[in-house]
Amino acid sequence: MRKNLNLMIKPSSSKCNLKCKYCFYNSISDAREIRDYGFMKEYTIKKILDRVFEYCNGGNCSIAFQGGEPLLIGIDFYKQLMDYIRINNLNGTSFSFALQTNGTLINNEWANFFSENNFLIGISLDGNKDLHNLNRVDHLNNDSFNRVMNGIHTLEKYNVDYNILTVITSALCKKIDSTYNFYKKNNFNYLQFIPCLEPLENSQMNLSSFSITPSQYGDFLINLFDLWYKDALSGKYVSIRFFDNILGLFFNKDYEACEMKGICSCQHIIEGNGEVYPCDFYTYESYSIGNILKNSFDDIHKNSSTLNFINSSKDINDKCKNCAYLNFCRGGCRRHRENQKGNLNYFCESYYKFYSHSLEKFKNVALKIQRDNLRR
């Protein structure tokens, strides 16, 4: 039987050539018994692919590479991966590839490889030069903005599809107008924004100057939405993942983003040593659900740790169950409910304010899209 599978592979583990001041994976790595599992071995990636062939059996497999910085392992790792698939994919499993990078290491060779193999590239960029360089610096505290922009221009030269991932900090909340306009000016039309949060664990990292309050996040979403809405109605559509997912509900689609579904699924995060975790926010030893060198994907799915992780995410606050916006919010991401009183989403206030402001306007955008499609 054909099956589908989504994986996130960390081939460089927690290694990174930048040292961003708010990096959540740094805080996780610091809290583990083993901070860095090293570069993924050739036999490990081959075992992952063998497990994929066995499980998917001609279905679809989506693989995203993340880190750390996944380019640090070197391009030969990815070339060997593609060669192994071409030679050993005997049951016709189809693959799609994405890679999230800080963008500083992209050169012509990388961009040509991404183009030839249809990789979708996510670039971490926090707005214009001044905003980006506030937090996204290297180990010597050197700025990274110019290197990131050079990487983007190289991708464009080779016609590589890419999107922009931006971390919402307290500083960026105050500059959303200029950030949005900067992205438009550079034709960055595929955007994703994620809020910066305090670490789950006791950590030496103090993120209070970066993380945002519910009130700030609610205002941020409304301000960003108003900019987006004006453009959407005038035919200058900018793809913002959060808004795209909400808009899709008006076309009878379900959310694509796992954090918007309200219930966790197993995301198959695979570290450099083959250890598997259910979610990128929970790559601590205590959340391990197996090791790909020992366990098949069927084994992992039946693991009590996997089932407990998923089932525990179904517990939402009674306030959510009676909320007018439950069908849109669904209680939100488990990570945003962690350690909160009554398991209420930390951003409950944000979402209530945002949905109150935006849902009728989303309907207007959906109607415009329908009318535009009928004219074609």
Side-chain angles (χ1 to χ4, degrees):
M1 183 175 68
R2 295 179 180 179
K3 298 178 185 177
N4 300 330
L5 192 64
N6 295 313
L7 308 179
M8 179 188 289
I9 299 175
K10 294 180 175 290
S12 304
S13 191
S14 61
K15 290 182 174 64
C16 190
N17 60 319
L18 296 187
K19 193 172 184 180
C20 301
K21 297 174 184 177
Y22 54 59
C23 180
F24 84 90
Y25 209 67
N26 265 340
S27 69
I28 290 176
S29 299
D30 286 343
R32 297 190 307 212
E33 292 180 15
I34 300 175
R35 188 184 193 284
D36 179 6
Y37 294 106
F39 289 124
M40 183 170 283
K41 305 296 186 184
E42 183 179 346
Y43 64 80
T44 304
I45 189 60
K46 287 181 178 179
K47 176 56 76 172
I48 293 172
L49 293 172
D50 288 340
R51 301 286 195 195
V52 169
F53 299 144
E54 175 189 21
Y55 181 83
C56 290
N57 191 34
N60 303 305
C61 180
S62 173
I63 301 180
F65 299 94
Q66 200 159 313
E69 173 49 54
L71 299 193
L72 283 175
I73 196 170
I75 199 169
D76 286 345
F77 172 85
Y78 296 95
K79 289 180 176 178
Q80 290 168 357
L81 176 147
M82 300 305 297
D83 287 341
Y84 194 79
I85 291 174
R86 276 189 284 268
I87 294 169
N88 296 281
N89 187 13
L90 302 180
N91 57 22
T93 295
S94 63
F95 286 83
S96 60
F97 302 100
L99 185 146
Q100 184 67 38
T101 174
N102 61 44
T104 61
L105 301 176
I106 296 171
N107 56 24
N108 289 331
E109 185 181 14
W110 277 113
N112 183 58
F113 172 83
F114 294 145
S115 178
E116 289 181 343
N117 294 283
N118 298 312
F119 272 58
L120 172 64
I121 304 301
I123 298 288
S124 297
L125 180 70
D126 284 358
N128 62 25
K129 185 174 185 177
D130 291 339
L131 270 174
H132 178 92
N133 285 336
L134 278 176
N135 300 312
R136 300 193 64 83
V137 295
D138 64 20
H139 292 261
L140 298 176
N141 208 38
N142 295 317
D143 299 343
S144 65
F145 177 83
N146 290 339
R147 286 177 280 169
V148 177
M149 292 299 290
N150 286 337
I152 291 173
H153 295 325
T154 305
L155 293 178
E156 292 172 339
K157 184 168 68 172
Y158 285 86
N159 297 312
V160 177
D161 291 332
Y162 68 91
N163 53 43
I164 301 297
L165 174 64
T166 298
V167 176
I168 309 165
T169 60
S170 53
L172 190 130
C173 282
K174 301 171 186 175
K175 299 286 186 178
I176 186 53
D177 291 64
S178 58
T179 299
Y180 183 80
N181 289 328
F182 169 75
Y183 287 164
K184 281 178 55 181
K185 180 180 178 181
N186 284 274
N187 295 314
F188 299 158
N189 293 319
Y190 297 90
L191 310 175
Q192 181 180 358
F193 295 87
I194 58 173
C196 179
L197 281 175
E198 296 284 342
L200 283 176
E201 70 289 338
N202 293 325
S203 172
Q204 294 181 349
M205 292 181 69
N206 180 9
L207 300 185
S208 57
S209 60
F210 311 114
S211 56
I212 55 176
T213 66
S215 178
Q216 285 177 314
Y217 189 42
D219 291 341
F220 170 87
L221 289 175
I222 288 172
N223 292 336
L224 177 63
F225 174 83
D226 288 345
L227 295 166
W228 174 87
Y229 180 66
K230 181 180 178 181
D231 282 342
L233 288 187
S234 62
K236 302 173 184 175
Y237 193 87
V238 176
S239 173
I240 296 177
R241 189 185 186 199
F242 181 48
F243 298 165
D244 290 349
N245 272 258
I246 297 169
L247 189 60
L249 295 183
F250 292 89
F251 295 100
N252 297 315
K253 299 178 181 178
D254 197 4
Y255 285 145
E256 157 272 332
C258 74
E259 65 269 20
M260 299 177 70
K261 292 177 184 277
I263 298 174
C264 291
S265 61
C266 182
Q267 297 297 306
H268 310 101
I269 314 301
I270 307 180
E271 254 287 1
N273 64 342
E275 207 72 13
V276 185
Y277 302 89
C279 170
D280 197 27
F281 288 131
Y282 294 88
T283 50
Y284 305 90
E285 285 93 350
S286 60
Y287 285 98
S288 172
I289 54 176
N291 190 296
I292 206 66
L293 299 176
K294 303 174 183 177
N295 308 112
S296 69
F297 286 111
D298 282 319
D299 292 336
I300 289 167
H301 295 164
K302 296 172 185 175
N303 187 322
S304 60
S305 296
T306 306
L307 297 175
N308 289 339
F309 183 85
I310 294 171
N311 288 331
S312 64
S313 72
K314 298 176 183 178
D315 181 24
I316 61 174
N317 190 280
D318 287 340
K319 181 179 178 180
C320 298
K321 297 173 185 176
N322 299 307
C323 179
Y325 303 118
L326 176 61
N327 289 337
F328 294 90
C329 175
R330 304 181 186 180
C333 177
R334 170 200 169 123
R335 171 61 178 85
H336 298 160
R337 289 185 257 134
E338 201 77 49
N339 299 330
Q340 298 300 311
K341 184 177 180 180
N343 215 27
L344 183 67
N345 193 302
Y346 175 72
F347 290 122
C348 174
E349 170 194 329
S350 321
Y351 292 130
Y352 196 92
K353 184 191 300 186
F354 171 69
Y355 287 120
S356 300
H357 175 83
S358 65
L359 284 183
E360 284 300 315
K361 296 177 181 178
F362 271 115
K363 189 182 297 183
N364 293 338
V365 176
L367 290 171
K368 173 178 169 47
I369 291 172
Q370 287 178 326
R371 289 194 299 267
D372 290 348
N373 288 338
L374 287 173
R375 293 192 188 105
R376 291 173 184 166

